[in-house]
């Protein structure tokens, strides 16, 4: 039973890490968590390379003004009720 418990614990830790990564990155893609997770798990080595290339090509440090404008844009679409 101990090996099963350890496997279950590791699966939960991996699931939590995937969820945190999804919250940080994938919400911009407008995919559900299950769709995003299936894409990531389908080809892990290709996804890593593609994500790394995408981040180096499309990501740059924002100026404070750009960061504020981006944050305001994100928050403008947030309607909790």
């Amino acid at each position: 039973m101990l090996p099963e418990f350890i496997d279950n614990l590791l699966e939960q830790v991996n699931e939590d890490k995937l969820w945190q990564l999804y919250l940080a990155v994938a919400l911009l893609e407008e995919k559900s968590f299950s769709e995003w997770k299936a894409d990531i798990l389908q080809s892990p080595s290709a996804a890593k390379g593609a994500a790394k290339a995408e981040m180096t090509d499309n990501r740059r440090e924002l100026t404070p003004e750009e960061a504020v404008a981006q944050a305001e844009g994100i928050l403008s679409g947030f309607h909790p009720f």
Side-chain angles (χ1 to χ4, degrees), residues 62-77:
L62 299 176
T63 64
E65 294 81 15
E66 291 172 329
V68 168
Q70 183 180 14
E72 287 175 346
I74 292 169
L75 291 173
S76 69

Side-chain angles (χ1 to χ4, degrees), residues 28-50:
L28 301 175
E29 297 178 17
E30 296 184 11
K31 289 184 179 179
S32 70
F33 176 66
S34 57
E35 291 172 336
W36 178 82
K37 181 180 168 185
D39 288 346
I40 292 297
L41 295 179
Q42 189 174 31
S43 59
S45 60
K48 281 183 187 177

Side-chain angles (χ1 to χ4, degrees), residues 1-50:
M1 287 188 67
L2 182 60
E4 291 174 13
F5 173 75
I6 292 172
D7 285 341
N8 190 17
L9 185 63
L10 290 175
E11 286 178 24
Q12 184 61 45
V13 167
N14 288 338
E15 187 78 11
D16 290 345
K17 287 180 181 180
L18 280 173
W19 176 249
Q20 290 174 2
L21 183 61
Y22 173 74
L23 292 176
V25 176
L27 285 176
L28 301 175
E29 297 178 17
E30 296 184 11
K31 289 184 179 179
S32 70
F33 176 66
S34 57
E35 291 172 336
W36 178 82
K37 181 180 168 185
D39 288 346
I40 292 297
L41 295 179
Q42 189 174 31
S43 59
S45 60
K48 281 183 187 177

